Amino acid sequence: MIHYSVAVKNARLLAVRDAMNGGKIEILSDTGDRISAIDLDNESGTVSFGSLVFSSFPKFAMAEITGRAAGARLVDTKGDTIALGLTVGLANSDI
């Protein structure tokens, strides 16, 4: 596993945040289908100490289909994928 300094983590997270501003977090089923989409603010969050904290959370989103949440992806305002393979859960997960 690669370990990055906090400064490098912050730089990477700023690039991700800026790319997804105004986009969405999409919650995906185990088959990759979109269960739900959470709209992000135009400035989606703040970066500090190697973490990205989303703005205006918690947010509400309706389920589009039934299924078990198994992953997530970040998309920009055009729907293009910024990051894929995020984990979902109650603890020790990305989302």
Side-chain angles (χ1 to χ4, degrees):
M1 175 178 257
I2 298 173
H3 296 277
Y4 295 100
S5 70
V6 171
V8 171
K9 286 180 187 178
N10 285 346
R12 289 172 58 124
L13 288 169
L14 283 168
V16 170
R17 182 205 63 190
D18 293 347
M20 70 177 178
N21 280 341
K24 298 178 186 299
I25 299 172
E26 295 186 343
I27 307 300
L28 307 173
S29 71
D30 51 1
T31 59
D33 295 321
R34 185 170 88 176
I35 294 174
S36 184
I38 302 165
D39 293 326
L40 298 173
D41 293 348
N42 285 332
E43 185 163 325
S44 58
T46 57
V47 173
S48 181
F49 301 107
S51 293
L52 170 59
V53 178
F54 290 105
S55 301
S56 305
F57 269 67
K59 291 184 179 266
F60 179 79
M62 294 292 294
E64 300 167 11
I65 63 170
T66 59
R68 184 179 71 85
R73 71 178 180 158
L74 306 174
V75 298
D76 64 15
T77 56
K78 296 177 283 188
D80 294 333
T81 300
I82 303 293
L84 179 63
L86 300 167
T87 59
V88 296
L90 298 176
N92 300 318
S93 59
D94 299 316
I95 305 290

